Amino acid sequence: DEDEDGDAAVSSTTTATKAATKKKAKTTKKKKDAASKSSNQVQRQTAAVDVNELSPGGLYVHKDFGKCIFLGVETHPDKRRNNRPAPFVMLRFADGLAKLPARQLKRHIYRAKGDDADAAQMAATNQNQDGDNSSSTTTTAAAAAAAAEPSQALTLKPTRLMKSPRLGKLKDPSAWRRTMQRSKRTIDGQVSKLMDTLIKRLQVTRPQYEDVSTMTQRTDGTPMDGAGILQAFNESFGYDLTPDQKSAVEDVVSDMTLEPFPMDRLVIGDVGYGKTEVAVRAVFTAAMSDRQVFVLAPTTVLATQHYKVLKRRFEGVLSKDGVDIGESMGLLCRFTKAGERRKLLERIAKGEQLVTVGTHALLSDKVESR
């Protein structure tokens, strides 16, 4: 149905020839964009609103004209459908009212949040996903302006949003367009920065960590049973991993042992969901490859807690130069005494200290890893 995809709020008279040509062109375009249209619609729906979600007096964003206030839904003859009654969304702008067919709501109206820049950035992001919105903007603007006819007055309960919103203008949307252009430049700049960061990360390489389950000797040539040590370490946890924990551990260890560049992964979980155990097994994988490990915690209490957990788990399982890793576990925080701090920093600098837990003190210039 060609009318279903129309951008105009009211219809205009066209000749049969133009209508046929337009329909043929649209059919060709639909075939050309079929691959991307589905995904774009899914992404746009995250910010678009449904007519049942609209709140009278609420502030929303029209992608072509800016902020507007939703007044309600009214039934009017739909000129694009042989004047059959159809629901129209009534919107208030700074210079008048406009009615928008309810069927076009998700394509034009988005939730408003924050100031004009936030609203414009949201609309710009969704408009960038449309693919060919630039060609339809002019048509939509003219049609919506023509649709701004007087409507039946509605009695609304005043809300905070209705007191002082900066509404868009139907007859002069230039200010909104400038805001959209600035937002698009901002989005482009953010994307560029993210791409630069990703490229820099991919340019940094590091040796892969050893797969503990297949290790038959330490890095210094000392024979060892990697599979047995891994099993003993995992069993010291005392609990069975949940499916999510198991998946997270496998992903993290895979990043460490298979990828030749630093891991870029975030493990998220609520309190008590087992994030610490995922980190503990990552520490174990790194330590088994004879790498120095620094476990950074945001508070002294949490650093002390992680220190006790790691110390218990590593005792009797792994040693370096004849020294048990668990017994030599280091803790660096504001409660660490001056003498202990000095000795710990010396061991770290010499490469003798394999695992150290601490707060932001680990980020000090005095901490020099080998």
Side-chain angles (χ1 to χ4, degrees):
D1 187 353
E2 183 183 358
D3 293 339
E4 191 69 25
D5 294 327
D7 286 326
V10 294
S11 62
S12 59
T13 304
T14 58
T15 63
T17 303
K18 289 183 178 180
T21 304
K22 181 178 179 181
K23 187 171 184 178
K24 183 178 180 180
K26 179 164 290 190
T27 302
T28 303
K29 183 173 183 57
K30 284 184 178 180
K31 291 181 179 179
K32 181 178 179 181
D33 297 339
S36 60
K37 184 175 180 180
S38 177
S39 60
N40 288 340
Q41 287 177 343
V42 172
Q43 295 174 8
R44 287 197 300 272
Q45 287 176 357
T46 60
V49 295
D50 185 83
V51 66
N52 296 321
E53 300 174 356
L54 295 176
S55 175
L59 193 62
Y60 296 89
V61 179
H62 191 290
K63 71 175 185 179
D64 295 318
F65 301 103
K67 290 186 177 181
C68 59
I69 293 176
F70 169 65
L71 300 179
V73 179
E74 297 181 1
T75 301
H76 291 273
D78 191 343
K79 296 181 181 179
R80 295 184 66 88
R81 296 197 167 185
N82 298 324
N83 289 325
R84 286 180 296 177
F88 281 76
V89 176
M90 307 307 298
L91 305 172
R92 175 187 295 166
F93 290 86
D95 55 353
L97 303 180
K99 58 183 180 181
L100 181 72
R103 67 177 184 274
Q104 296 182 9
L105 184 67
K106 289 187 177 182
R107 302 176 54 204
H108 295 279
I109 304 299
Y110 303 95
R111 298 181 182 89
K113 124 178 138 167
D115 55 17
D116 282 349
D118 290 336
Q121 187 164 347
M122 177 173 57
T125 302
N126 286 278
Q127 191 174 43
N128 283 341
Q129 295 168 355
D130 285 344
D132 63 331
N133 274 345
S134 58
S135 61
S136 63
T137 300
T138 304
T139 304
T140 306
E149 352 178 299
S151 178
Q152 180 181 356
L154 301 177
T155 303
L156 299 176
K157 181 179 179 180
T159 64
R160 182 179 64 82
L161 291 175
M162 294 178 64
K163 290 181 180 179
S164 59
R166 183 192 294 179
L167 301 180
K169 294 183 179 180
L170 291 168
K171 297 179 181 179
D172 183 21
S174 57
W176 174 249
R177 290 174 184 171
R178 289 193 297 269
T179 304
M180 287 277 287
Q181 290 172 357
R182 289 195 298 268
S183 297
K184 288 181 179 179
R185 288 195 293 268
T186 300
I187 294 172
D188 291 340
Q190 292 173 345
V191 172
S192 179
K193 288 181 180 180
L194 288 174
M195 292 298 295
D196 290 342
T197 301
L198 178 60
I199 292 173
K200 290 179 180 178
R201 283 176 175 171
L202 294 177
Q203 290 175 343
V204 178
T205 60
R206 53 119 173 105
Q208 296 172 335
Y209 293 85
E210 297 286 343
D211 184 350
V212 181
S213 63
T214 61
M215 292 180 65
T216 58
Q217 61 180 15
R218 293 290 304 277
T219 54
D220 58 0
T222 305
M224 62 171 291
D225 178 17
I229 294 177
L230 177 61
Q231 181 179 355
F233 185 84
N234 292 343
E235 290 177 352
S236 67
F237 176 43
Y239 303 93
D240 293 331
L241 293 179
T242 65
D244 287 341
Q245 272 185 310
K246 183 178 180 181
S247 175
V249 169
E250 291 175 351
D251 289 340
V252 169
V253 173
S254 176
D255 287 344
M256 298 175 68
T257 58
L258 300 180
E259 301 294 345
F261 44 81
M263 178 168 51
D264 182 20
R265 183 181 294 275
L266 179 64
V267 178
I268 303 174
D270 207 344
V271 176
Y273 273 55
K275 300 183 297 298
T276 300
E277 181 60 22
V278 178
V280 167
R281 300 200 181 192
V283 170
F284 177 74
T285 301
M288 288 295 290
S289 295
D290 202 28
R291 310 283 182 87
Q292 281 187 303
V293 183
F294 298 92
V295 181
L296 181 64
T299 65
T300 301
V301 173
L302 196 57
T304 304
Q305 176 183 333
H306 289 334
Y307 166 75
K308 292 179 179 179
V309 170
L310 287 168
K311 185 178 179 65
R312 175 181 61 82
R313 296 289 297 279
F314 272 86
E315 283 182 348
V317 177
L318 185 63
S319 62
K320 176 177 174 59
D321 300 330
V323 180
D324 188 281
I325 298 300
E327 295 179 359
S328 64
M329 188 76 60
L331 175 62
L332 187 61
C333 63
R334 60 190 178 93
F335 291 146
T336 306
K337 297 180 180 179
E340 296 177 354
R341 178 187 295 265
R342 184 177 62 256
K343 292 180 180 179
L344 181 59
L345 293 177
E346 290 177 354
R347 287 177 54 83
I348 292 175
K350 293 179 181 179
E352 299 174 352
Q353 184 67 35
L354 201 59
V355 182
T356 307
V357 185
T359 58
H360 63 279
L362 289 173
L363 305 178
S364 171
D365 294 337
K366 296 181 180 179
V367 180
E368 298 180 357
S369 60
R370 59 175 175 166

